Amino acid sequence: MKTTIVNCHALIGETATPAPGPVDIEIIGRTIAEIRPHGVREPAAGTVIDGRDLLIAAGLINGHHHSHEGFYKGRKDNLPLELWMNYVRPLKPIELTPRDIYLRTMIGAIEAVRSGTTTLCDDTNQSPRIRPDHVEQVFQAYEDIGIRANVGITLFDRPFFRAVPFVDEEFPKELLAELDGTRMYTGAELLDFVRGLARDRHPSTNRVAYMAAPSAPQRCTREFLLDVRRMADDFDLPLMIHVQETRMQVVTGHLFYGSTMIEYLDRIGFMKPKTSFIHGIWLNPREIDILARTGVTIQHNPPSNLKVGSGLAPVRALLKAGVNVSMGTDGCGSIEGTDMQNALYLTALLQKLRGDHADWVGAEEAFYAATMGGARALGRGKELGAVEAGRTADIVGYRLDRIPFTPLNNAVNQLVYSASRAEVDLVMVDGEVIERNGKLTRIDEAAIIEEIREAHQRIEPQLSASEADVERISPHYERIYRRCQCMEIAADTYPARFSH
């Protein structure tokens, strides 16, 4: 299969440098074969795409999403993470069919493609029970829409409610007994299941592949964390884990481990390249040095960090230390969508709240984080993340004849600060067109949206009942949250929120 995009503008290479003039981009199979000045020669064969009004750029890499939150979109507001997250992790299972799981996954997948995303990393929670037929439908949704996806099954061997301090002091004994009585999978059972996924769906040979996803240090025993680490190393898998998203998590680290969580993970030998610490907001300079030394990526999710009030990550300090920064949106439950154009915009704007203008993070660095930063985080810095001969053809075309690019002065600045998903006109993954002229090519989007609406109408009473059930534990979490807010953390921790 051969496709040539002719007479297009393009952002070339890892630095996304605008080509000096119109170019033709020749794609053979799944690979960019050649980028040449327009008109040097006519395309010899295959499909020709007229690119005269297109800006071709590397596809965005969304390094963090939770597809299991899809049906919760828009249900909560004005709750910090520790008080919100229980609502999207029911105390009792919600009865969903395999088709419901497929549709739920499509909610984020459709918006991801429409916002110029070519790779999506999905940390999907299957607790309190794993159903292989449900997991298969997550993979199938991504196969069908055509996006590149890395799917992690959320792994933890400590109950969510046990992952915060003071539980034994703040929860009523009878409620604790009930919650402790809920059966969980053992670490051995979880690892046995995901090892099968690692064997059958390895990212080296599959567009939709498995990645390791231990939930967070405080939700895993030390032994289980190290078992997951060994599994990821044995299969050479990328790994993602939530670390120090909130101030309360820094406090929790000191109470659980006698140190911050990053210092703890470094101490037990968990930190290695191809590992992404999701969020990494509340950091001090010593921890940033550890991240730089160990090659761990910080996975920056500005939309959800704002929505649940977690704060502003110290991106400039991370970049100055040589830490790789990638980018994502987080799940539909917290931030309502997987729009990576929104994440780009917020990253470049919000970091201007920190320090002198000479140290501000701008559009070029934000775009790099959303492309090359994401590729490096997954260990694929030579394959993905740039429009360059020899790389995989995961590319996006933006309409230049729309007002965000008119007049065209600086393509990167205007892509980051002005463009939206409305300007995304062409999306290619593995050399295949999966969106063209505003239409998804591999699925019937309208039919799927209607089916999602019907499924949600049927499921919604269960969602409401589950949220009401969670209200039983909310007051106890609220007391724990406020108690932790009063506890001191290191004075040189980078400020992540405005003071009261």
Side-chain angles (χ1 to χ4, degrees):
M1 182 177 68
K2 180 178 176 182
T3 303
T4 307
I5 307 170
V6 300
N7 195 23
C8 62
H9 294 260
L11 302 176
I12 303 297
E14 295 186 3
T15 57
T17 302
V23 297
D24 297 343
I25 301 175
E26 185 176 279
I27 298 158
I28 299 177
R30 61 192 296 270
T31 304
I32 299 172
E34 184 182 9
I35 303 171
R36 57 181 181 263
H38 172 58
V40 169
R41 64 175 184 273
E42 291 296 317
T47 301
V48 176
I49 296 174
D50 183 355
R52 76 182 71 184
D53 288 320
L54 291 181
L55 172 68
I56 300 298
L60 304 178
I61 297 176
N62 187 338
H64 189 55
H65 169 55
H66 292 294
S67 66
H68 62 270
E69 296 174 4
F71 286 126
Y72 290 90
K73 182 184 289 189
R75 293 183 72 88
K76 295 294 178 184
D77 195 10
N78 290 345
L79 286 174
L81 177 79
E82 281 83 9
L83 304 184
W84 161 80
M85 65 190 305
N86 297 296
Y87 289 102
V88 294
R89 286 164 180 81
L91 299 179
K92 300 181 182 69
I94 290 177
E95 295 302 324
L96 301 175
T97 68
R99 184 64 178 178
D100 293 336
I101 301 300
Y102 179 92
L103 295 170
R104 184 178 73 177
T105 305
M106 276 295 189
I107 294 170
I110 288 171
E111 186 173 23
V113 174
R114 287 203 162 279
S115 68
T117 300
T118 52
T119 297
L120 180 64
C121 297
D122 181 6
D123 182 356
T124 182
N125 186 18
Q126 295 292 313
S127 66
R129 62 183 184 222
I130 291 178
R131 285 185 50 176
D133 58 341
H134 282 194
V135 173
E136 182 58 35
Q137 289 306 300
V138 176
F139 283 90
Q140 191 61 54
Y142 294 132
E143 291 282 6
D144 289 354
I145 198 170
I147 198 169
R148 186 180 309 284
N150 292 279
V151 179
I153 310 303
T154 309
L155 301 175
F156 55 97
D157 67 339
R158 178 181 285 153
F160 259 69
F161 77 97
R162 287 285 182 188
V164 297
F166 309 124
V167 167
D168 289 308
E169 299 173 33
E170 297 291 353
F171 274 58
K173 287 185 170 54
E174 60 275 12
L175 180 56
L176 270 182
E178 176 192 335
L179 296 174
D180 281 330
T182 303
R183 183 192 180 278
M184 290 182 58
Y185 279 91
T186 66
E189 289 173 312
L190 290 170
L191 285 168
D192 182 62
F193 179 75
V194 297
R195 281 194 186 100
L197 294 177
R199 284 190 297 269
D200 298 340
R201 293 186 174 274
H202 196 275
S204 64
T205 52
N206 291 271
R207 174 173 54 80
V208 182
Y210 173 71
M211 72 181 296
S215 180
Q218 69 273 23
R219 299 177 203 128
C220 300
T221 62
R222 180 180 185 276
E223 294 72 23
F224 184 62
L225 269 180
L226 292 176
D227 284 343
V228 177
R229 175 77 270 172
R230 281 188 288 270
M231 186 267 295
D233 293 345
D234 289 345
F235 286 97
D236 191 23
L237 294 169
L239 182 151
M240 57 179 166
I241 180 171
H242 300 76
V243 180
Q244 288 179 214
E245 180 176 359
T246 65
R247 187 184 188 283
M248 181 171 164
Q249 289 174 14
V250 178
V251 171
T252 300
H254 282 289
L255 292 171
F256 281 16
Y257 314 116
S259 68
T260 67
M261 293 185 188
I262 288 177
E263 291 166 333
Y264 163 67
L265 292 172
D266 184 40
R267 193 163 65 242
I268 67 173
F270 186 86
M271 299 176 66
K272 296 182 180 181
K274 289 180 68 170
T275 300
S276 294
F277 281 6
I278 305 160
H279 301 294
I281 298 171
W282 292 81
L283 305 173
N284 64 45
R286 295 172 302 288
E287 293 169 320
I288 290 176
D289 288 343
I290 293 171
L291 292 164
R293 169 171 54 79
T294 56
V296 170
T297 291
I298 286 294
Q299 215 290 319
H300 182 47
N301 300 269
S304 78
N305 296 347
L306 290 174
K307 177 76 183 299
V308 295
S310 297
L312 189 62
V315 172
R316 172 55 67 207
L318 289 161
L319 294 175
K320 275 189 172 181
V323 177
N324 184 51
V325 175
S326 64
M327 197 181 299
T329 57
D330 216 339
C332 291
S334 62
I335 192 50
E336 278 55 83
T338 53
D339 188 341
M340 276 291 286
Q341 285 295 132
N342 192 35
L344 264 179
Y345 174 79
L346 289 173
T347 293
L349 286 181
L350 286 170
Q351 292 298 317
K352 298 180 196 334
L353 296 175
R354 284 193 183 276
D356 184 79
H357 71 274
D359 274 340
W360 285 352
V361 172
E364 289 183 4
E365 288 167 306
F367 188 73
Y368 184 94
T371 53
M372 280 304 304
R376 291 175 61 194
L378 297 171
R380 307 190 73 169
K382 299 297 184 184
E383 306 165 56
L384 307 177
V387 179
E388 193 170 61
R391 290 181 183 260
T392 302
D394 284 13
I395 59 177
V396 174
Y398 298 84
R399 293 292 304 228
L400 289 174
D401 58 349
R402 304 279 175 85
I403 201 65
F405 291 104
T406 305
L408 184 62
N409 286 305
N410 183 300
V412 175
N413 284 354
Q414 287 169 251
L415 190 160
V416 171
Y417 292 120
S418 185
S420 72
R421 61 188 179 195
E423 283 65 62
V424 174
D425 187 74
L426 169 70
V427 180
M428 297 183 76
V429 176
D430 256 1
E432 178 185 354
V433 175
I434 67 170
E435 181 182 350
R436 181 70 175 118
N437 297 324
K439 181 178 176 60
L440 300 175
T441 64
R442 304 187 74 195
I443 63 170
D444 184 339
E445 181 180 4
I448 286 176
I449 288 175
E450 181 58 30
E451 197 177 351
I452 290 168
R453 293 171 68 185
E454 292 171 357
H456 176 260
Q457 187 174 21
R458 170 173 47 81
I459 294 163
E460 200 283 331
Q462 292 190 70
L463 300 180
S464 292
S466 174
E467 289 172 340
D469 192 29
V470 169
E471 292 294 335
R472 295 187 298 143
I473 66 174
S474 293
H476 316 302
Y477 264 92
E478 177 90 30
R479 286 197 299 273
I480 291 169
Y481 172 79
R482 295 194 179 281
R483 188 169 169 178
C484 289
Q485 294 303 106
C486 297
M487 301 182 73
E488 290 188 3
I489 61 175
D492 59 350
T493 301
Y494 285 94
R497 296 183 60 179
F498 295 115
S499 59
H500 295 293

